[in-house]
Amino acid sequence: MKLSNIKDSIKNFWKEFRQVKSGIIGLILFLIFLFAVVFEPLIISFKETNNVWRDITYWEDLPRNVPPAWTNLFTSRKSAESMEIDDPEITEQQNGNLRILTSEFTYDYQSYNPPQDIIFRADGTGSPMIIIEIVRPDDEKITLFQKPVNLGSGNDVRVSMDSNSKDAVYNFLSKKVPRSELQKINKNLLAPTDYLFSVASEDFIKNREPLNGIYKIKVTSIMQNEDANISDPYIVLPGSVYGLLGTDSYKRDLWSGVVAGVKWALLIGLLTAVVSVSIGVLYGVISAYLGGWKDSLMMRIFEVFVSTPLLPVLIVLAAVFKPSIWTLIFMMCAFFWTGSVKTVRSMALQIKEETFIEASKAAGASNLRIIFKHMVPLLIPYSFASMALFIPGAIVYEASISLLGLGDATIVTWGQILSDAYNSGAILSGIWWWVVPPGLCIALMGMAFAFIGFAADKILHPKLRTR
Amino acid sequence: MFWKYSIKRVLNGIIIFVILIFIYSILFNAQLERTIYSQIDEQVNGELHNLNTSRMTPEAIENWILQRRETLYKSYNLDKTSFERIVMRAYNTITFNFGKSTIIKSNSGKRDVRSIVFEAIPRTLLLFVTAMLIDVFLGILLGIKKAQKPGSVLDKSTSIGTMIVYGMPSWWLGMLMIMMFVYALGIFPSGGLHSTPVPQGEFAKFVDLLWHLTLPVITLVILGFWGRAYLTRNIVLSTLQEDYIMAARARGIKERRVLYSHGLRSAAPPLVTMSLLALLASVGGNIIFEGIFSWPGMGNLYWVAVQQNDIPVLMANLAVTTGLYQLGLVILDLTYGLLDPRIKVGGKA
């Protein structure tokens, strides 16, 4: 078989494949995934996701456990979107050797659910005193934070109201609410923004009503020494909705995680399928061609591999050897190759009896030549079909291993996202945006290859074709 | 003839099982021994704690520890060569002598690995066999309907269903089902075998068990029966294209009769194989699904053992799973041989 022959057979195959609608749908889905891999840097929201997925500090300015932003479209009670305010009105005052820097941020609050937190960020040196106050639309003024911060010779300032102003907000509440009501809340579990952005009334705690309008957040930094300084101040308001797919309880952007997982799923699926089907086809052909005791021996070895329950063995191997992703792929290949051997062997047994094999034998062709030049090429279409059907299996197995917490911790895979979700109790707290997208991606990718594989199968086994 | 074939097949299964256990021993022996060493250290320290050490010199204590360790090493055969140890480990596994677990305890509170694993087997079988029976029944019913009119709307749409669930992890669907039916609607329990406290009376207990069984079984059936239907369709469709079916039709036999008595008779062996294979595939690929529903079977045991890093339980569970899998394969071949006499003559697969 020459190269042009293979080209022809592929061309013919494509001609038939085009007729099968489901195959085309599968191909389109596959191309979409491929697109996501190639253009990952453009569509991902956090470029460094691949390196920082498990780095909690990287994600600290995002909200925790919030649904995707588009959920606002389906409810009349809108949630505040995440935003950054970096255009404060800055005024500077010199008072003796005290330098006072005031930055005033304006926040227009127009939703029902308040932002999760107010975070003040800046660059700074020395040990300035920082005072953060908020002026509400009803002219209530609350001092949220008042402390000197020690920054040394240059550091990021990060002051989160959620962790630093619980006392201040509790005091504010105690002025508005009768004592009996106040006892109902735990000071340590109180979420400051719930009350900061609500109408101050007597039943503040029971019936929260949002207080919409312009909020002024005033940050005053008092610097005593020459070396103390605060620059580039900005405020982050992690909303109560976020991005395309929301965030998880580690405050990570799930869209970035899911997109970063595409390439690993494709790699795991494709590599495992290509390697194991190639091994399987060669094994089957060689076994059939050699025949006799060699065939029996090879079939015995094959039987041993077929008789292992795959997932349990993989789990134990992964638990004992703590594999990297490459080792895991290798382990999967070591068991997946058996899948195509039986069919290939019976096909090869038929091919072996054809006259052209006999002819080339008579012409003095070597065994290797006959196997690789005459037998394997005939099995190529079948190999492609079975490769496509192997891919979903490989992806699911990796995800299952990851679900048990045995995956490669240096990468982001869908299975690992689901594992985190399961272990953080996302299922029983109904955080669907953490559970649905990664699993749906696994299912969709599986579906894409199933469509392709079944379509190819239909072409290769015309007997099953619908009349 | 069938007896000869059966004995051959059973022996073959046993040999493969023994080979696999040997391979496991070679692979995992080092890790397992590490656990035994630490168990021995723990035991020696415990004994030292109970010993009256006030009159002993530090040297004597040291000596005592060394001696005690030595005897324990000997009793666990750790003084033999590594080849002997691997053979011994394999022998112990085959005779179900799994030793003691590190953390996990059985229901009766024992740390005997054998009872831990063995009490999980019936629960796994209950779950997967129930699911398999329902899913095969539905699958065959739908498959025949599909084969009757290939290319019809029903056939095409259900075939697409097959492909949609093809790459869907069963445990993910389980998660969604729990979110839907447990969290949102609250009509099923979130998992486990029984409610706590376990209801009194045999009947109430049984109903409670069924109630807990429903959601995982539904999940497995939703995922499984499409594939079963697709396979049934292919099998029945290729039988329906045989000449004798055409002959039967030509003789004017009713279509129902052609389908059910002529068609299904010869399609039966592959259908039985398919059902058993479905069960085996569950053991080989779906088993950790139990963990999501905290169904205390073997799959859940993998989960727990991995989390607690209990190596002896993990190994024993693997050996038992492999044994069951092997048993399933043997039963599969035997029933196939019984249903399709042609197989026996060929002997070899």
Side-chain angles (χ1 to χ4, degrees):
Chain A
M1 229 186 192
K2 282 180 199 150
L3 198 69
S4 60
N5 287 1
I6 295 177
K7 236 186 200 168
D8 265 1
S9 70
I10 290 175
K11 216 183 229 170
N12 283 334
F13 182 79
W14 171 240
K15 225 182 199 169
E16 287 199 62
F17 189 84
R18 250 184 355 197
Q19 314 276 317
V20 189
K21 241 181 266 162
S22 60
I24 295 298
I25 297 173
L27 207 59
I28 290 172
L29 264 174
F30 170 61
L31 289 178
I32 292 174
F33 279 120
L34 212 58
F35 176 86
V37 175
V38 175
F39 294 100
E40 185 192 301
L42 295 178
I43 53 176
I44 206 164
S45 350
F46 292 88
K47 307 267 175 292
E48 298 94 332
T49 303
N50 287 303
N51 306 320
V52 295
W53 186 248
R54 286 173 185 79
D55 176 6
I56 302 170
T57 51
Y58 180 85
W59 305 98
E60 64 188 353
D61 285 351
L62 263 54
R64 186 189 303 279
N65 275 342
V66 297
W70 46 264
T71 51
N72 265 345
L73 296 174
F74 304 104
T75 165
S76 55
R77 296 184 160 180
K78 307 290 179 212
S79 296
E81 298 209 19
S82 298
M83 55 159 55
E84 227 170 70
I85 309 172
D86 50 8
D87 52 346
E89 279 176 42
I90 301 185
T91 45
E92 206 179 324
Q93 264 183 310
Q94 193 77 37
N95 198 346
N97 55 3
L98 283 185
R99 201 155 60 89
I100 301 166
L101 199 70
T102 317
S103 1
E104 197 175 88
F105 299 86
T106 322
Y107 175 53
D108 187 8
Y109 172 58
Q110 292 302 347
S111 52
Y112 183 85
N113 293 315
Q116 258 189 7
D117 197 359
I118 304 171
I119 300 164
F120 171 69
R121 299 210 78 150
D123 293 334
T125 51
S127 43
M129 173 88 175
I130 292 181
I131 303 161
I132 303 175
E133 294 158 314
I134 189 166
V135 183
R136 295 159 33 114
D138 58 0
D139 286 332
E140 291 277 0
K141 184 173 167 186
I142 307 160
T143 306
L144 296 172
F145 181 82
Q146 186 166 14
K147 258 182 209 163
V149 285
N150 194 1
L151 300 168
S153 57
N155 238 323
D156 284 345
V157 186
R158 181 180 184 277
V159 184
S160 151
M161 295 311 122
D162 191 43
S163 42
N164 288 303
S165 63
K166 288 193 194 308
D167 285 334
V169 174
Y170 189 79
N171 287 340
F172 169 65
L173 272 179
S174 63
K175 281 178 211 154
K176 302 284 171 191
V177 175
R179 183 168 286 271
S180 59
E181 284 286 304
L182 197 65
Q183 279 164 349
K184 285 181 190 162
I185 51 171
N186 183 343
K187 193 160 136 188
N188 298 320
L189 296 177
L190 159 153
T193 52
D194 275 0
Y195 304 103
L196 284 178
F197 292 100
S198 304
V199 177
S201 59
E202 288 219 342
D203 52 351
F204 218 173
I205 291 158
K206 255 188 292 175
N207 303 317
R208 213 189 63 82
E209 276 296 318
L211 177 67
N212 289 341
I214 305 280
Y215 286 74
K216 299 240 182 241
I217 302 161
K218 216 167 96 182
V219 182
T220 316
S221 10
I222 305 168
M223 287 154 284
Q224 279 184 320
N225 308 329
E226 279 296 304
D227 58 331
N229 192 24
I230 288 282
S231 56
D232 298 329
Y234 63 97
I235 277 194
V236 185
L237 291 151
S240 38
V241 286
Y242 190 85
L244 276 168
L245 291 180
T247 61
D248 64 14
S249 60
Y250 302 96
K251 301 187 174 186
R252 297 180 294 208
D253 175 38
L254 285 167
W255 168 251
S256 301
V258 169
V259 172
V262 179
K263 59 177 174 298
W264 290 110
L266 271 181
L267 176 91
I268 292 161
L270 287 171
L271 195 59
T272 312
V274 169
V275 172
S276 50
V277 170
S278 309
I279 296 174
V281 167
L282 277 183
Y283 196 90
V285 170
I286 290 173
S287 171
Y289 181 77
L290 292 178
W293 68 269
K294 288 172 192 158
D295 181 34
S296 308
L297 178 72
M298 283 176 90
M299 281 299 108
R300 277 296 125 109
I301 295 171
F302 162 76
E303 258 176 57
V304 172
F305 274 92
V306 164
S307 312
T308 46
L310 185 50
L311 187 61
V313 171
L314 279 180
I315 291 172
V316 177
L317 279 173
V320 170
F321 297 113
K322 309 269 182 296
S324 73
I325 188 66
W326 303 106
T327 331
L328 189 65
I329 291 175
F330 172 77
M331 285 175 184
M332 285 199 279
C333 291
F335 291 98
F336 267 52
W337 63 269
T338 55
S340 48
V341 168
K342 253 198 168 147
T343 328
V344 165
R345 182 167 166 275
S346 62
M347 287 163 98
L349 280 175
Q350 276 175 17
I351 299 171
K352 195 182 148 191
E353 303 301 324
E354 300 275 345
T355 41
F356 68 90
I357 300 286
E358 218 171 308
S360 59
K361 244 187 216 166
S366 68
N367 285 349
L368 274 182
R369 190 182 165 83
I370 293 175
I371 289 173
F372 282 99
K373 282 260 169 177
H374 299 304
M375 296 179 79
V376 171
L378 287 175
L379 292 164
I380 283 177
Y382 166 78
S383 320
F384 275 114
S386 55
M387 268 177 209
L389 292 177
F390 269 50
I391 292 170
I395 296 171
V396 171
Y397 278 117
E398 192 278 333
S400 305
I401 300 282
S402 295
L403 184 73
L404 288 170
L406 299 170
D408 186 338
T410 57
I411 60 171
V412 193
T413 67
W414 295 330
Q416 286 166 11
I417 298 176
L418 283 169
S419 165
D420 287 341
Y422 179 75
N423 292 327
S424 315
I427 296 162
L428 288 178
S429 42
I431 307 176
W432 54 267
W433 56 90
W434 196 357
V435 180
V436 175
L440 197 63
C441 280
I442 296 177
L444 276 178
M445 195 175 268
M447 197 174 101
F449 288 109
F451 274 136
I452 296 173
F454 276 79
D457 216 36
K458 227 182 202 171
I459 296 166
L460 297 168
H461 297 107
K463 207 178 173 190
L464 301 178
R465 225 182 284 176
T466 48
R467 284 169 290 183
Chain B
M1 271 307 269
F2 184 68
W3 280 112
K4 216 172 153 191
Y5 166 73
S6 309
I7 291 167
K8 215 168 142 191
R9 183 63 192 89
V10 170
L11 278 180
N12 193 21
I14 292 173
I15 291 170
I16 290 181
F17 178 67
V18 171
I19 291 175
L20 280 175
I21 295 297
F22 260 97
I23 295 174
Y24 293 163
S25 289
I26 294 166
L27 277 175
F28 304 127
N29 192 44
Q31 183 72 26
L32 204 65
E33 279 177 359
R34 221 166 293 153
T35 342
I36 293 177
Y37 276 118
S38 61
Q39 275 181 357
I40 289 175
D41 276 354
E42 194 187 312
Q43 191 182 338
V44 171
N45 282 340
E47 283 171 17
L48 187 65
H49 201 72
N50 294 334
L51 208 69
N52 188 3
T53 50
S54 54
R55 286 205 202 141
M56 289 165 82
T57 59
E59 258 171 51
I61 295 176
E62 193 76 6
N63 266 334
W64 181 86
I65 292 176
L66 284 178
Q67 254 173 13
R68 191 77 194 106
R69 259 191 209 153
E70 200 77 5
T71 43
L72 281 172
Y73 284 171
K74 215 164 239 165
S75 72
Y76 281 99
N77 296 315
L78 290 172
D79 53 342
K80 302 259 169 55
T81 61
S82 57
F83 175 73
E84 279 175 301
R85 292 197 317 256
I86 287 172
V87 173
M88 220 166 277
R89 177 94 46 243
Y91 177 77
N92 282 343
T93 314
I94 292 165
T95 52
F96 299 126
N97 261 321
F98 300 121
K100 281 202 168 71
S101 70
T102 23
I103 297 159
I104 302 171
K105 283 181 182 153
S106 72
N107 273 359
S108 48
K110 273 188 286 184
R111 265 173 55 176
D112 176 31
V113 174
R114 187 178 359 186
S115 51
I116 295 174
V117 178
F118 278 24
E119 69 187 16
I121 296 175
R123 298 171 189 156
T124 292
L125 288 181
L126 173 69
L127 174 61
F128 285 103
V129 170
T130 318
M132 187 267 282
L133 288 177
I134 298 175
D135 132 5
V136 163
F137 177 73
L138 289 178
I140 290 182
L141 225 57
L142 181 64
I144 293 173
K145 279 269 168 301
K146 278 155 68 89
Q148 266 177 317
K149 276 187 196 157
S152 64
V153 179
L154 178 81
D155 182 27
K156 281 209 167 137
S157 57
T158 48
S159 293
I160 288 176
T162 314
M163 296 179 233
I164 288 176
V165 299
Y166 188 81
M168 197 182 277
S170 56
W171 43 263
W172 177 67
L173 190 67
M175 288 176 175
L176 294 193
M177 296 293 266
I178 290 179
M179 271 177 134
M180 179 84 182
F181 292 104
V182 180
Y183 167 74
L185 301 175
I187 46 178
F188 285 113
S190 71
L193 206 59
H194 285 292
S195 322
T196 35
V198 181
Q200 293 298 311
E202 284 303 308
F203 183 71
K205 216 172 153 186
F206 179 68
V207 171
D208 187 58
L209 180 69
L210 279 188
W211 188 45
H212 281 76
L213 194 62
T214 315
L215 199 59
V217 166
I218 289 178
T219 313
L220 282 175
V221 170
I222 287 179
L223 275 184
F225 88 100
W226 304 93
R228 235 63 69 210
Y230 188 79
L231 265 178
T232 309
R233 167 199 183 268
N234 287 354
I235 292 166
V236 174
L237 195 60
S238 53
T239 357
L240 287 184
Q241 282 165 352
E242 301 277 343
D243 290 341
Y244 75 92
I245 295 283
M246 207 196 285
R249 278 181 180 149
R251 289 205 301 276
I253 296 172
K254 275 185 197 144
E255 186 59 30
R256 272 182 70 88
R257 212 175 133 72
V258 171
L259 192 69
Y260 289 102
S261 23
H262 294 73
L264 265 193
R265 175 64 191 93
S266 60
L271 288 182
V272 172
T273 325
M274 176 193 82
S275 322
L276 281 169
L277 272 177
L279 189 61
L280 285 178
S282 286
V283 173
N286 260 346
I287 196 157
I288 61 159
F289 162 84
E290 287 179 354
I292 300 292
F293 286 96
S294 349
W295 186 263
M298 301 172 75
N300 195 47
L301 196 57
Y302 279 109
W303 204 299
V304 177
V306 164
Q307 242 128 54
Q308 314 266 22
N309 204 17
D310 199 325
I311 302 291
V313 174
L314 206 57
M315 299 297 157
N317 204 7
L318 179 64
V320 171
T321 317
T322 310
L324 281 179
Y325 197 74
Q326 206 50 242
L327 188 70
L329 287 173
V330 170
I331 293 174
L332 179 78
D333 280 356
L334 291 187
T335 41
Y336 203 76
L338 203 63
L339 287 169
D340 191 348
R342 283 172 300 176
I343 299 291
K344 279 175 284 181
V345 184
K348 254 187 277 177

